[in-house]
Amino acid sequence: MLSMPDLNTQLIHHPYHPPEGFGAITVPVHKASTVIFPSVQALRARDWTHESGYSYGLAGTPTSFILEERIATLEGGRYCALAPSGLAALTLVDMAFLSAGDEVLIPDNAYGPKKAFAEHELKNWGIGCIFYDPMNPADLAARLTPRTRLVWLEAAGSITLEYPDLPALVSAVKGYAPQHPRGIITALDNTWGAGIAFCAFDMGVDVSVQALTKYPSGGADVLMGSVVTRDRTLHHQVLKCHGRLGLGVAANDIELVLRGLPSTGLRYAAQDATTRALALWLHTLPYFDRVLHPALPDSPGHLFWRRDCKGAACLVSLAFKPQYSQDQVDRFCDGLQLFKIGHSWAGPMSLCATYQAASIRSQPSPYRGVLVRLSIGLEAVEDLKADLLQGLQKM
Ligand SMILES: *Cc1c(COP(=O)(O)O)cnc(C)c1O
């Protein structure tokens, strides 16, 4: 057996074997609710938590099992559960591990809708939710209590793209956990790294969640999420909750992600190169207090990114100088032609969205002006530069 160290090679070769005499390499799209058992005895004996058996459409098909295997491979993990969106995968982890009376710690720069779930549903269910400063491991350490059950991590942070010292955050948790009654689980929103920039499990993380909506799909045409672990006990806890919630994923959607996967590594690298070229150029313009991208030396956490990452995602944020009003920045966004206004990222088309720093953080923000997050697509860098320049001139 050849060892395949290269991730791009691994993303192309999967363990699917086509039917005898049919030499196609594509994975078939199996659709099912009912799965027929040969006997009552077989139905009774079926263990639905077993990774390779079938019992009902919600519990997996040959198509979903292949994607789960592919995503686990991409992330350097062992087990995977799929969810109908990235956000559903995040909330699945909360629901699988948290009970009334527990506390969950969330970085202050985490994905917004995830914070909202904690502040509404989790609080209503009697679960304490505490935000910590991800750039300060001592702040995280100080907030751990015997009630802490789950610590979320995100690298880089949403919108402001601070890159944290992940190993230090994980060791703050693991250092506290031995005196802890039930142990503390660390879970990373790994959508930005996508399993490509770094291996979450090598950083000591227990659970890695991704919005497959972003890089693995790459098409801006499907919503999906994944929960990957290396630990069978944690996986079964996720799987049991997943089964009780009934989080089905449609076979045609899985087909789209399987189609995007072989080019994930190449798209990540291409979009990374364009984004970095634009970030370096934007950094020389006079409009911004800060251009936020972990590869820029004055972006928060640059040294941790340089130490831990093999690449960066296709996001760059612009912290406008406070003298530019929201109206002016809106004119910039409205004036762009190639960049469309909208949410999400890692698709073929470049996008922009504006944010008010003060309204997305519980801690005071160092950015006093309007924030614009650019998501860089697959267009040519010179075309994107020309578009940004003419948009900035419209302010
Ligand atoms: C987009 C995104 C999600 C949610 O994914 P959806 O599939 O849109 O629900 C979660 N985390 C991060 C960091 C994201 O960018």
Side-chain angles (χ1 to χ4, degrees):
M1 184 65 191
L2 265 177
S3 75
M4 294 190 293
D6 185 84
L7 187 63
N8 287 313
T9 309
Q10 287 185 48
L11 285 173
I12 293 161
H13 290 265
H14 51 69
Y16 167 70
H17 293 292
E20 190 63 30
F22 180 61
I25 57 170
T26 43
V27 179
V29 180
H30 288 286
K31 299 184 180 189
S33 51
T34 301
V35 172
I36 305 291
F37 294 87
S39 67
V40 174
Q41 177 52 29
L43 183 148
R44 259 188 220 123
R46 168 75 186 110
D47 169 13
W48 63 268
T49 60
H50 194 271
E51 290 80 18
S52 60
Y54 308 105
S55 55
Y56 187 59
L58 269 179
T61 66
T63 311
S64 69
F65 283 0
I66 287 281
L67 182 58
E68 287 170 0
E69 181 279 329
R70 301 280 67 211
I71 300 298
T73 298
L74 168 65
E75 296 220 31
R78 239 172 246 129
Y79 307 99
C80 173
L82 299 175
S85 69
L87 183 55
L90 292 169
T91 57
L92 167 62
V93 170
D94 283 328
M95 288 190 274
F97 295 118
L98 294 167
S99 319
D102 288 345
E103 285 173 354
V104 56
L105 266 62
I106 299 174
D108 197 35
N109 60 3
Y111 179 65
K114 169 189 178 43
K115 289 173 76 177
F117 179 75
E119 289 187 293
H120 291 86
E121 280 71 18
L122 293 184
K123 272 192 180 162
N124 289 343
W125 298 337
I127 295 157
C129 91
I130 292 140
F131 298 118
Y132 70 90
D133 174 3
M135 301 309 284
N136 181 1
D139 183 66
L140 167 62
R143 294 174 194 271
L144 296 165
T145 76
R147 290 176 58 198
T148 312
R149 180 64 180 141
L150 176 65
V151 174
W152 279 100
L153 307 155
E154 196 165 324
S158 251
I159 319 296
T160 40
L161 301 171
E162 297 89 357
Y163 197 89
D165 186 349
L166 267 188
L169 292 173
V170 171
S171 43
V173 176
K174 299 295 168 191
Y176 183 83
Q179 331 141 33
H180 190 281
R182 286 184 302 153
I184 303 175
I185 296 157
T186 52
L188 170 76
D189 183 334
N190 201 12
T191 305
W192 185 94
I196 292 168
F198 60 90
C199 174
F201 301 103
D202 290 351
M203 305 268 169
V205 167
D206 297 316
V207 178
S208 175
V209 175
Q210 232 193 105
L212 305 179
T213 307
K214 309 288 168 52
Y215 277 109
S217 142
D221 53 1
V222 64
L223 291 154
M224 204 177 293
S226 56
V227 180
V228 175
T229 61
R230 275 184 181 171
D231 182 297
R232 198 150 189 262
T233 309
L234 292 180
H235 174 63
H236 278 183
Q237 228 172 314
V238 170
L239 210 57
K240 283 177 186 160
C241 182
H242 181 273
R244 290 188 287 257
L245 287 166
L247 297 178
V249 173
N252 290 112
D253 289 349
I254 294 176
E255 178 189 26
L256 289 176
V257 179
L258 283 170
R259 206 156 193 258
L261 262 184
S263 62
T264 303
L266 298 178
R267 284 184 282 105
Y268 197 96
Q271 283 167 281
D272 181 1
T274 309
T275 307
R276 273 197 239 188
L278 289 173
L280 280 170
W281 167 71
L282 288 160
H283 193 255
T284 65
L285 303 184
Y287 305 95
F288 317 112
D289 260 350
R290 196 68 78 85
V291 174
L292 298 162
H293 183 292
L296 294 177
D298 62 352
S299 205
H302 165 71
L303 291 177
F304 304 128
W305 171 81
R306 218 169 68 181
R307 183 191 65 193
D308 294 340
C309 286
K310 287 185 289 207
C314 59
L315 296 172
V316 54
S317 291
L318 308 171
F320 277 84
K321 287 184 175 161
Q323 76 218 51
Y324 296 102
S325 66
Q326 181 75 63
D327 276 354
Q328 281 175 295
V329 177
D330 288 358
R331 271 208 293 285
F332 159 64
C333 294
D334 284 334
L336 294 170
Q337 290 168 21
L338 294 178
F339 283 84
K340 304 298 177 191
I341 298 163
H343 295 297
S344 203
W345 47 286
M349 194 180 283
S350 292
L351 301 171
C352 73
T354 96
Y355 303 86
Q356 286 286 350
S359 69
I360 55 173
R361 301 285 175 259
S362 54
Q363 300 298 315
S365 166
Y367 312 114
R368 286 166 304 133
V370 180
L371 289 170
V372 169
R373 189 184 72 179
L374 301 175
S375 150
I376 308 303
L378 290 164
E379 303 95 333
V381 64
E382 289 308 322
D383 292 338
L384 295 176
K385 205 186 260 189
D387 192 27
L388 290 168
L389 202 55
Q390 67 81 26
L392 286 166
Q393 282 158 0
K394 286 187 174 139
M395 288 202 302

